[in-house]
Amino acid sequence: MDRQIDQDRRKFLKTTSLLGGGLVLGIQLSGCESSDNPRTTIKNMMTAQQQEQQSVDAAFFPNAFLRISADNRITVHVASSEMGQGVMTSLPMLIAEELEADWSMINTEFAPAHADFENPKSGRQITGGSASIRGFWQAMREAGAVARDMLLTAAAQTWGIDKDACYAKTGRVYQRASDQHLTYGELIEKAQYLPVPKSPALKKPDEFRIIGQPVPRLDNKVKVTGQAIFGQDIQLPGMLTAMVVRCPVFEGKIKHINAQTAKNIKGVIDIFEIETGVAVVAEHFWAAKKGRDLLEIEWNEGDHAKLDSDSIHQQFIQSINNGKVIIDRGNTKKILNLNIRDASMNHTSTKQQTAAIFETPYLAHTCMEPMNCTAHVQKDRCDIWVPTQGQEPTQKTGVKITGLPKEKVFVHTTFLGGGFGRRAEQDFVKDAILISNRLKQPVKVIWTREDDIQHDFYRPATYNRLTASIDKNGKPVAWDHAIAGSSILHRIVPFAGIIFRGKDDTSTEGAANLPYDIPNFKVSYAMVNPGVPVGFWRSVGNSQNSFVTECFFDEVAALGNKDPLKLRQQLLSKKPRHKKVLDIAAELSGWGKSLSEDHYHGIAVAESFGSFVAYVAEVSIEGAAKHEYIKVHRITAAVDCGIVINPDTVIAQIQGGIVFGLTATLHGEITIKQGRVEQSNFHDYPSLRIDEMPVIDIYLVKNAELPGGVGEIGVPPIAPAVANAVFAATGKRVRKLPIHLNKLI
Amino acid sequence: MTSLNVNDTLYEVDIETDTPLLWVLRDIIGLTGTKYGCGVALCGACTVHINGKPARSCVTPLAEVIGKQVTTIEGLSKNTLHPVQQAWIDEQVPQCGFCQSGQIMSAVALLRKKPHPTDMDIDQAMKGNICRCGTYQRIRAAIKKASTTSPGKS
Ligand code: FES
Ligand code: FES
């Protein structure tokens, strides 16, 4: 009975594997540095797929994540999207550890959209929330352990000896009594008919030999030779290239299209209206671009035509002052209070009070690779090649538009040229499927950088009013933080404002969980949704709230004449992991000791996604009067993310998080005028460049805590560390991002 | 028909000569290692070499490269890795990888001109290349590493 189920399951896994993204895209990367990766054009991949078919037919599939072939190759299905964070290497490391695999035989494929590949943490096949390792930590190790156990049984049966007399090591099973051995490839035939063990024993951390090692990334070689296939690079026979022109005003609609001249452009094939805008379909990008530039469109700009940054700002202020939430255009609710430890907020020991207003702007993601998607809708199937953070939502989009059953909608995940939360969205996926659905031809939709910046789902802008009181010893005794901002949840789930009664954790994280021991504590949230589409942006609510709370904390410390580090240490006595990273960063940076002339330190700590990060920033103010600018010289970081899978990847992610956060600290600001985003490319929405790059020193705390998140945790504390250093340098407070030296208080 | 020399191969392309080289490479010839990131010479993702000098292919019309030698990431080194590519791997530079073709092309051009660049030289030569993943510290380290291993030419 069980055996039958196992057989059916294996058949299914083979089918899934062959129809899935990995093989069609052929991104098979080997752990063996010397092996030659196949040239990764699609045509070659198709041939590779046929060759692969034979070896897949004969392979051993202990579970959805793993395939072992007779030639000893181990293929791991990577369920998360590779957007730079290194999952393509770190997830296979988890399997290889328990499988006792020979790392040089590891190949990877991006998994297709399928329930088997849901992240156990979120229950969805979405890469986000720094959840890949946290979600798959158990599942991937178990997948490896199951296979190892079956291979051991197969070997024991082959030799007619007890299983305990065998052990597995680097891709082989050995007899304990002799050095006789069989390779995994030699055992698969027998192994595949064995029952799948339910709960195989997992290794203890001190037995790890791969986990914890700085294993080189598997995707390096294709990424330095131009062979890695990103969404933008998809080429299919008969493929067309399209652009979609959207109304510049949020939610505006098309009134009239004049496509006469545009259609005359050589290479332009068709121009038509789709749900998301006007599609310009051409033989290649440049023809589409030329056609698009000649297109005349009259828009019905709709309700948001007059929206601008000032009016949004006014709505924020009003809602905080009136205690009302503007959930959706005029639909108001009372402000919600969260985490009230003592709502009365009246305490006799209060000596002094301080109050401040902090503001953070809307931000675009500007992934290095602008949004794109390729789709081929046919009568009986729909293929989607896409750099996506969400295979499951992508498949759903395909089902919705084509009406095909989900088994007929195939999601082929490419490499992602950055994600940062942007690529779980479906707008660019819709574009491609809608157009291909109409033309029944393969269509690649490419967004220009301007489209990408002006039609993003922005990190919500916020307006924050904070008040705090200290007692006669300078110790904070009350903290009151009111946040006004737009809700991501409300945008994603219509009526979320009503369902969640005005609550949105993605807006209050990093504020509602303030780690400091302050007896009277209140955080309130005023949801204001003026019509700017908002979305998940690397570290989400933590990205603004860490800035606001860690800067205000320094102000409170100053009110009581306390050293900002010492006061933090004092109020973190019940938060040992926060305190430890803080202590280490302070120690390594030489906090409180003398610095080079005119250099100043600022400090901040943040917990996010189950990990803890503290930074000390060293800055100076450079340049002549009126042309002064902030130079960030050095960031000293201490990071506790629990058990570290690949230390080099963690370090890379912290470096990357710092750069991403510095861009927002020093440059990032999206402003709205007449319902439009004013910025359009890297000249007015700049990114940090190499000449602004500080030296970064990172210390990783070693402990046996469960793995925490990594991809996002580097962002939150960077803005406040720099802002606090700017105060040290200028004597003036930063209350607004990005930091403008002429707007300090 | 326009003839075009890319990576020592002659291509005949049937496209208007005002088309930027980037799209000729990617959409007509099928060399997709050179990336589109901004289209207006602000990000460096599309960097190639024209007669050995770094250029932003997104703003270089086809007409300008007729009779010249274009080198892309695919043509940087035949069969083996170029020392700069090797240094990139040694230092584990790439994250998402999307900017790296352009970064490497800029770095190779820098090292050809200045085999032992200072930090300032690196800033000057590389600040036109954005990396949204923030790999700058490793890029700097890899360039320095390559400057000790590379003969300074390819
Ligand atoms: S695409 Fe050419 S510089 Fe950005
Ligand atoms: S590695 Fe991702 S943009 Fe540079």
Side-chain angles (χ1 to χ4, degrees), chain B residues 35-39 41-46 56 58:
Chain B
K35 307 299 183 195
Y36 164 70
C38 71
L42 289 167
C43 78
C46 65
R56 308 293 185 226
C58 68

Side-chain angles (χ1 to χ4, degrees), chain A residues 368 417-418, chain B residues 93-100 103 130-135:
Chain A
M368 202 69 237
Chain B
V93 176
Q95 288 188 27
C96 84
F98 194 80
C99 72
Q100 300 297 346
Q103 304 278 5
I130 293 174
C131 174
R132 281 292 282 156
C133 297
T135 63

Side-chain angles (χ1 to χ4, degrees), chain A residues 33 39 82-84 215-217 219-221 223-226 228-230 232-233 235 241 266 284-286 290 364-370 416-418 420 444 446-450 537-538 648 651-653 655-657 659-660 663 681-683 687-691 693-696, chain B residues 14-16 18-20 23 25-40 42-45 58 73-74 76 79 81 85-86 88-89 91-101 104 122-124 126-140 143:
Chain A
E33 274 295 331
R39 260 295 288 139
E82 177 57 70
M83 47 191 177
V215 173
R217 295 176 65 117
D219 51 0
N220 267 330
K221 194 173 169 193
K223 286 181 176 176
V224 303
T225 51
I229 298 290
F230 295 87
Q232 191 180 90
D233 305 330
Q235 294 172 297
T241 300
K266 184 166 174 247
H284 48 78
F285 180 96
W286 195 246
K290 272 185 170 171
H365 297 80
T366 51
C367 299
M368 202 69 237
E369 178 188 18
L416 284 66
F420 314 128
K444 171 160 69 178
I446 299 187
W447 287 31
T448 62
R449 175 59 65 195
E450 289 77 9
W537 186 95
R538 197 172 185 178
D648 194 54
I651 287 170
Q653 282 307 293
Q655 291 170 338
V659 172
F660 201 80
T663 290
N681 208 317
F682 290 117
H683 63 292
S687 251
L688 201 84
R689 292 173 185 269
I690 197 168
D691 57 336
M693 180 70 192
V695 173
I696 299 173
Chain B
D14 178 19
I15 191 163
E16 286 88 339
D18 65 345
T19 308
W23 300 108
L25 292 170
R26 293 182 54 83
D27 287 358
I28 310 299
I29 297 179
L31 290 172
T32 55
T34 307
K35 307 299 183 195
Y36 164 70
C38 71
V40 287
L42 289 167
C43 78
C58 68
I73 188 76
E74 292 93 341
L76 198 52
N79 305 321
L81 290 174
Q85 290 171 317
Q86 187 57 53
W88 244 244
I89 291 180
E91 294 296 326
Q92 296 284 304
V93 176
Q95 288 188 27
C96 84
F98 194 80
C99 72
Q100 300 297 346
S101 299
I104 289 169
I122 294 175
D123 283 352
Q124 279 310 316
M126 302 301 295
K127 72 178 184 192
N129 289 79
I130 293 174
C131 174
R132 281 292 282 156
C133 297
T135 63
Y136 299 128
Q137 183 155 313
R138 293 175 185 226
I139 287 174
R140 191 183 297 282
I143 291 175

Side-chain angles (χ1 to χ4, degrees), chain A residues 533-568:
Chain A
V534 290
F536 299 99
W537 186 95
R538 197 172 185 178
S539 83
V540 198
N542 296 289
S543 73
Q544 355 37 352
N545 288 327
S546 178
F547 160 69
V548 173
T549 57
E550 284 291 277
C551 285
F552 189 60
F553 188 90
D554 265 36
E555 296 198 24
V556 176
L559 183 72
N561 283 321
K562 300 271 190 192
D563 173 74
L565 169 67
K566 287 211 183 86
L567 187 64
R568 280 183 175 83

Side-chain angles (χ1 to χ4, degrees), chain A residues 330-641:
Chain A
N331 179 357
T332 59
K333 258 194 177 300
K334 236 171 109 40
I335 285 186
L336 192 89
N337 289 330
L338 303 166
N339 282 45
I340 303 162
R341 291 215 274 265
D342 175 1
S344 68
M345 297 296 283
N346 63 24
H347 20 80
T348 45
S349 57
T350 301
K351 193 190 156 216
Q352 267 183 294
Q353 264 206 355
T354 184
I357 301 292
F358 283 84
E359 290 171 75
T360 59
Y362 290 108
L363 292 174
H365 297 80
T366 51
C367 299
M368 202 69 237
E369 178 188 18
M371 295 304 110
N372 65 77
C373 178
T374 304
H376 187 193
V377 182
Q378 300 173 75
K379 213 167 69 240
D380 55 352
R381 64 182 283 151
C382 167
D383 287 88
I384 307 162
W385 293 264
V386 61
T388 180
Q389 290 177 248
Q391 289 73 18
E392 174 214 317
T394 300
Q395 190 178 46
K396 282 197 177 125
T397 304
V399 167
K400 209 164 147 196
I401 295 173
T402 62
L404 289 163
K406 83 171 185 210
E407 299 71 35
K408 297 289 177 201
V409 177
F410 303 96
V411 180
H412 314 281
T413 307
T414 64
F415 278 114
L416 284 66
F420 314 128
R422 177 64 177 92
R423 286 201 145 99
E425 304 290 351
Q426 293 302 301
D427 45 353
F428 52 95
V429 177
K430 265 193 196 167
D431 287 351
I433 303 176
L434 285 167
I435 300 171
S436 180
N437 194 38
R438 171 153 164 168
L439 300 177
K440 298 286 185 285
Q441 255 178 291
V443 176
K444 171 160 69 178
V445 167
I446 299 187
W447 287 31
T448 62
R449 175 59 65 195
E450 289 77 9
D451 294 334
D452 190 87
I453 289 183
Q454 302 194 319
H455 299 280
D456 200 347
F457 294 96
Y458 304 90
R459 196 281 303 270
T462 65
Y463 179 89
N464 303 261
R465 190 188 60 204
L466 290 101
T467 50
S469 312
I470 56 169
D471 67 12
K472 60 183 185 316
N473 301 316
K475 200 172 165 245
V477 288
W479 177 284
D480 183 348
H481 181 179
I483 305 170
S486 312
S487 163
I488 302 171
L489 277 188
H490 174 76
R491 197 264 301 169
I492 289 175
V493 190
F495 308 113
I498 290 150
I499 297 167
F500 301 111
R501 306 167 143 267
K503 202 174 160 208
D504 180 350
D505 291 345
T506 69
S507 293
T508 51
E509 60 185 4
N513 54 337
L514 191 82
Y516 304 111
D517 193 0
I518 300 174
N520 300 280
F521 178 77
K522 182 172 138 190
V523 173
S524 56
Y525 173 57
M527 189 187 288
V528 183
N529 297 317
V532 179
V534 290
F536 299 99
W537 186 95
R538 197 172 185 178
S539 83
V540 198
N542 296 289
S543 73
Q544 355 37 352
N545 288 327
S546 178
F547 160 69
V548 173
T549 57
E550 284 291 277
C551 285
F552 189 60
F553 188 90
D554 265 36
E555 296 198 24
V556 176
L559 183 72
N561 283 321
K562 300 271 190 192
D563 173 74
L565 169 67
K566 287 211 183 86
L567 187 64
R568 280 183 175 83
Q569 287 166 326
Q570 198 186 333
L571 298 185
L572 289 173
S573 56
K574 292 177 202 153
K575 300 277 184 183
R577 295 179 79 183
H578 287 81
K579 187 162 173 301
K580 183 155 188 184
V581 288
L582 199 61
D583 291 349
I584 294 171
E587 164 83 31
L588 293 179
S589 66
W591 178 269
K593 306 213 176 88
S594 67
L595 281 172
S596 327
E597 209 188 332
D598 296 331
H599 285 209
Y600 297 88
H601 270 163
I603 195 162
V605 63
E607 173 192 1
S608 61
F609 307 94
S611 295
F612 304 80
V613 179
Y615 291 147
V616 173
E618 181 182 333
V619 312
S620 66
I621 308 298
E622 305 283 330
K626 292 215 175 122
H627 300 286
E628 290 181 328
Y629 64 95
I630 300 162
K631 170 108 185 122
V632 183
H633 296 272
R634 182 178 290 271
I635 305 293
T636 308
V639 177
D640 168 6
C641 59

Side-chain angles (χ1 to χ4, degrees), chain A residues 29-33 66 68 71-76 92-93 95-107 151 168-174 183-185 209-210 215 218:
Chain A
L29 301 182
S30 167
C32 179
E33 274 295 331
L66 192 53
I68 304 176
D71 59 3
N72 292 311
R73 266 191 308 152
I74 294 166
T75 304
V76 177
M93 284 172 72
I95 282 205
E97 179 70 64
E98 292 293 339
L99 179 57
E100 298 294 356
D102 175 356
W103 182 250
S104 70
M105 296 310 284
I106 298 277
N107 288 263
L151 291 161
K169 201 181 155 193
T170 47
R172 295 167 179 197
V173 179
Y174 291 84
T183 68
Y184 287 178
R209 59 182 186 92
I210 296 177
V215 173
L218 295 178

